[in-house]
Amino acid sequence: MKIFTGSSNPQLAAKIAAYLSVRLGDSELKHFTDGEIWFKYNENIRGCDVFLVQSTQPPAEHLMELLIMLDAAKRSSAKRITAVIPYFGYARQDRKDRPRVAITAKLVADLLATAGADRVLTMDLHAAQIQGFFNIPFDHLYASAIFIDFYEAKEIPDLAIVAPDIGSMKRARAYSEFLGASLAVVDKRRPSQNISEVMNVIGDVKGKNVLMVDDLIDTGGSLTQAAEAVKKLGAKDIYACCTHGVLSGNAVEKIEKSPICEFVVTDTIPMKPNVKSDKIRILTASSLIGESIRRIFNEESISSLFVNQR
Ligand code: R5P
């Protein structure tokens, strides 16, 4: 087994390698003066089971790096190459939601397979159906395995799980069943990219402590507006958790100013170094991803990691 990382999240890759008690593979990533990417494996990978850890959050350089790493591994005669993509970017562009647009998630799937990925391992895809864009084995992990333990230990009384939009409903229902909490959903409208409006809250949140669950936070609009809406309806403490902290623009400031008392996110995307917030707490996904890599390598079940969870 050999594990390599690009530049998108080397901290997480190092933690994954530590979980597996292996050292990170030796590689070199450089840029030409015009910005073009150059990559080289500095050790023999012929016949190896190679895992490339690279989230594909913006900029697109991260995706391009991964494609180049895949191509280099294929041409270096690796036996099997797994693209380990803790955060799978472009997943929100998964259908033609208006005329004359691209289905970029499908394009990314094609690029990964063409570049040399034999299989993919990722976590909390924005839409699980994206798995069908691939014709290679695909393992999909759920951050609920991390968050549910965390919130169970907190023993928050009178808890209602709130889905910040209809798309998060299935995930929220799984949390409500597992944590024995009630369920509510925010009816959100998106008039254009990155702009969201709360229309209605379906379900009872009055006098309840609330946990909002989402796959990702980008501008923070969906989550903070949902928090305002449930606060107005009489919710008590408002907690939130998200798998992927894209946190673009002034998202952190929005969280700070919102009624959310604690926001928990995994480290699939590294937190920007200048982010200072007492409300934000980071849980690592390294053990879950590391354990999944171990099981892929040993050809053991991954689904058994998620018994009773979705
Ligand atoms: C929406 O369908 C997703 O689950 C997230 O709620 C959304 O993408 C978050 O975006 P933002 O933080 O910009 O509202």
Side-chain angles (χ1 to χ4, degrees):
M1 180 199 296
K2 300 245 179 176
I3 302 193
F4 293 90
T5 182
S7 72
S8 81
N9 199 342
Q11 305 90 325
L12 176 60
K15 285 184 187 162
I16 292 170
Y19 175 88
L20 291 162
S21 305
V22 298
R23 62 166 182 81
L24 268 184
D26 183 13
S27 62
E28 235 176 310
L29 179 72
K30 287 184 182 165
H31 292 92
F32 291 95
T33 42
D34 64 354
E36 276 187 11
I37 300 162
W38 178 91
F39 180 87
K40 178 178 180 294
Y41 294 100
N42 281 338
E43 58 189 86
N44 180 26
I45 56 170
R46 190 180 288 271
C48 293
D49 202 355
V50 170
F51 295 85
L52 308 179
V53 181
Q54 177 86 332
S55 282
T56 53
Q57 77 274 17
E61 299 300 289
H62 293 139
L63 173 61
M64 192 64 199
E65 265 177 32
L66 177 57
L67 297 173
I68 293 171
M69 291 165 74
L70 285 163
D71 187 72
K74 183 174 65 180
R75 293 174 197 281
S76 309
S77 308
K79 183 179 72 189
R80 179 172 68 170
I81 312 165
T82 302
V84 180
I85 311 176
Y87 169 65
F88 188 100
Y90 286 96
R92 283 175 284 179
Q93 299 182 49
D94 60 348
R95 64 197 180 284
K96 272 188 82 175
D97 58 352
R98 62 196 73 185
R100 298 179 295 283
V101 297
I103 304 181
T104 314
K106 165 69 174 143
L107 172 65
V108 171
D110 290 344
L111 288 170
L112 291 168
T114 302
D118 293 310
R119 56 188 306 136
V120 172
L121 172 65
T122 190
M123 192 156 89
D124 278 354
L125 277 172
H126 178 64
Q129 305 88 296
I130 289 172
Q131 293 169 61
F133 291 169
F134 291 85
N135 289 322
I136 52 177
F138 194 105
D139 290 303
H140 187 206
L141 309 179
Y142 299 95
S144 56
I146 302 165
F147 289 132
I148 284 178
D149 284 352
F150 178 80
Y151 287 106
E152 239 175 5
K154 275 188 178 280
E155 296 184 357
I156 304 168
D158 302 322
L159 186 63
I161 306 296
V162 172
D165 57 29
I166 305 287
S168 308
M169 190 64 191
K170 194 170 169 226
R171 180 177 295 109
R173 192 185 311 118
Y175 278 68
S176 82
E177 282 167 10
F178 210 80
L179 293 170
S182 61
L183 182 63
V185 60
V186 176
D187 176 17
K188 176 184 93 176
R189 203 172 66 116
R190 226 185 235 300
S192 63
Q193 284 104 328
N194 288 147
I195 306 290
S196 57
E197 286 171 9
V198 170
M199 308 301 286
N200 209 347
V201 178
I202 305 163
D204 191 14
V205 292
K206 189 164 181 197
K208 302 231 178 207
N209 293 309
V210 157
L211 169 61
M212 296 192 298
V213 182
D214 213 342
D215 61 323
L216 69 93
I217 178 166
D218 183 358
T219 64
S222 305
L223 206 61
T224 56
Q225 286 180 24
E228 299 285 354
V230 295
K231 190 76 199 171
K232 270 191 203 140
L233 291 171
K236 291 200 287 196
D237 291 345
I238 304 173
Y239 299 83
C241 67
C242 270
T243 311
H244 311 294
V246 179
L247 296 169
S248 64
N250 62 347
V252 173
E253 206 181 315
K254 282 186 196 156
I255 294 171
E256 278 294 308
K257 289 185 180 154
S258 78
I260 295 169
C261 62
E262 185 186 61
F263 171 70
V264 185
V265 66
T266 79
D267 56 355
T268 57
I269 299 175
M271 193 61 69
K272 293 182 187 89
N274 55 351
V275 168
K276 301 250 178 307
S277 170
D278 293 337
K279 285 190 180 181
I280 300 181
R281 181 151 180 195
I282 302 168
L283 300 182
T284 186
S286 55
S287 309
L288 181 59
I289 297 173
E291 179 58 23
S292 305
I293 290 176
R294 192 190 67 73
R295 289 176 184 223
I296 291 171
F297 179 69
N298 290 327
E299 302 192 340
E300 293 170 17
S301 163
I302 288 188
S303 63
S304 56
L305 282 171
F306 302 102
V307 178
N308 296 328
Q309 296 194 8
R310 266 165 286 161

